[in-house]
Amino acid sequence: MGKQRLAQLEYSEFQSAMLDEEKRRRKAAKIIAVLEHFRGPLGGLTVADVGCSAGFIADELAQAGAGHTLGIDIDVPGLRKAADRFGERVAFVCGDGTALPFPDKSIDVLVFNHIYEHVVDPDGVVAEMHRVLSDDGVLYLGLGNRLGVMEPHYKLPFLSYLPSALADRYVRAFGRADHYYERFRTRRGLRRMLRAFHVWDYTFPVLATPTRFAGGELFPGLPGKVVRAALARMPRAVLTVLLPVVPTYLWVATKTPKRPVGAALPQPPERVRPL
């Protein structure tokens, strides 16, 4: 590879998590719950999952009532699996996120879930999503944080903190991969990446009330009940101190100023201050 970063083609062939149907459908349920809290039901809308791979999330979006559901990826094996299973409900397209094959302002809801760290030009993809999103549209974002202690793909602490050469040595030393491809950004970097949007942060609402957002598995059992209660009652100022090292952010973005339409929550969503 040298210094040139190439696209991760056929990602589902070497990342088995993309084919874990149960887990992917749980993620989809959380995505849909957040979207519906922010803007209401998806019924009749045009929805696109950018980075859809094997199509489980796109299929759930279709079953949630979307009028027209699209899935786009460069993962050809994943797209074949998706089309074979869900092609009657979802239109799957092989395409690059930096050149989305959709007209301007044609998509009502976009999903971009844990994808940005894998693409060569995340800023280019975000610019394209801004172009195709309707003026009243909503973009859901699952965003990994560079300063999250445990790297989510290789389960190695502080991996994403390291420069690329050291990160490559780290994953090789533990036999996880030949090189470390993913490139995460800090919260500040993510705010800069989304600077053209108006952004709401749903991270703490989901963590504090996971059952409301189909995330009951986040804190299981009695210890989980204690954690949920503590998060729900914790002063927001205390939680805000933790924001720079939260491993994953759940954001909703719009092109024009909007507010969540859902019911009040113990930890409500908050605006992300633009850069």
Side-chain angles (χ1 to χ4, degrees):
M1 286 193 45
K3 293 184 178 180
Q4 185 179 6
R5 191 162 178 253
L6 304 176
Q8 283 186 305
L9 302 173
E10 303 184 342
Y11 186 67
S12 61
E13 295 291 280
F14 57 87
Q15 180 53 264
S16 60
M18 302 307 296
L19 303 179
D20 185 337
E21 181 167 354
E22 182 181 356
K23 186 174 182 180
R24 300 298 290 174
R25 290 192 184 276
R26 287 202 307 269
K27 286 180 181 291
K30 179 175 64 180
I31 291 168
I32 292 166
V34 170
L35 286 169
E36 290 184 339
H37 185 272
F38 185 83
R39 59 99 44 225
L42 304 183
L45 301 179
T46 298
V47 179
D49 182 12
V50 180
C52 66
S53 190
F56 299 117
I57 290 175
D59 182 56
E60 289 290 330
L61 291 166
Q63 294 190 63
H68 189 198
T69 308
L70 305 158
I72 182 166
D73 209 314
I74 56 173
D75 176 6
V76 173
L79 287 172
R80 287 186 182 132
K81 293 181 178 72
D84 286 345
R85 289 194 60 185
F86 315 123
E88 292 184 0
R89 291 190 291 270
V90 181
F92 292 100
V93 182
C94 183
D96 188 335
T98 59
L100 293 172
F102 312 133
D104 294 358
K105 303 182 180 182
S106 61
I107 309 296
D108 299 308
V109 176
L110 285 165
V111 172
F112 192 56
N113 186 51
H114 293 286
I115 302 296
Y116 89 89
E117 71 270 21
H118 299 288
V119 302
V120 177
D121 181 11
D123 296 292
V125 178
V126 168
E128 271 292 273
M129 292 193 296
H130 190 277
R131 177 185 67 81
V132 304
L133 189 65
S134 68
D135 289 338
D136 291 328
V138 176
L139 165 62
Y140 174 93
L141 299 135
L143 302 165
N145 176 15
R146 183 179 180 182
L147 300 183
V149 172
M150 185 62 69
E151 203 282 340
H153 302 89
Y154 301 99
K155 309 302 181 187
L156 294 171
F158 302 109
L159 173 60
S160 56
Y161 284 54
L162 301 176
S164 57
L166 287 177
D168 287 347
R169 293 180 184 179
Y170 191 9
V171 294
R172 284 198 294 268
F174 283 84
R176 304 292 170 85
D178 292 330
H179 67 274
Y180 181 54
Y181 183 92
E182 288 70 21
R183 296 291 182 269
F184 286 97
R185 300 185 181 190
T186 63
R187 182 178 174 87
R188 182 176 179 82
L190 294 170
R191 287 166 56 204
R192 186 179 298 112
M193 185 173 77
L194 275 297
R195 61 188 177 276
F197 289 90
H198 302 268
V199 180
W200 286 82
D201 193 335
Y202 269 79
T203 306
F204 289 137
V206 172
L207 290 175
T209 49
T211 53
R212 170 65 181 77
F213 293 100
E217 81 282 357
L218 291 175
F219 303 114
L222 180 59
K225 186 175 181 180
V226 173
V227 171
R228 292 196 302 270
L231 285 171
R233 292 176 173 83
M234 193 172 294
R236 198 56 174 258
V238 175
L239 292 175
T240 300
V241 172
L242 302 175
L243 274 176
V245 294
V246 169
T248 297
Y249 302 117
L250 306 179
W251 289 357
V252 171
T254 59
K255 291 169 69 171
T256 57
K258 294 187 181 301
R259 299 185 64 84
V261 301
L265 298 166
Q267 294 291 350
E270 288 191 342
R271 280 290 310 275
V272 175
R273 184 167 56 87
L275 284 177

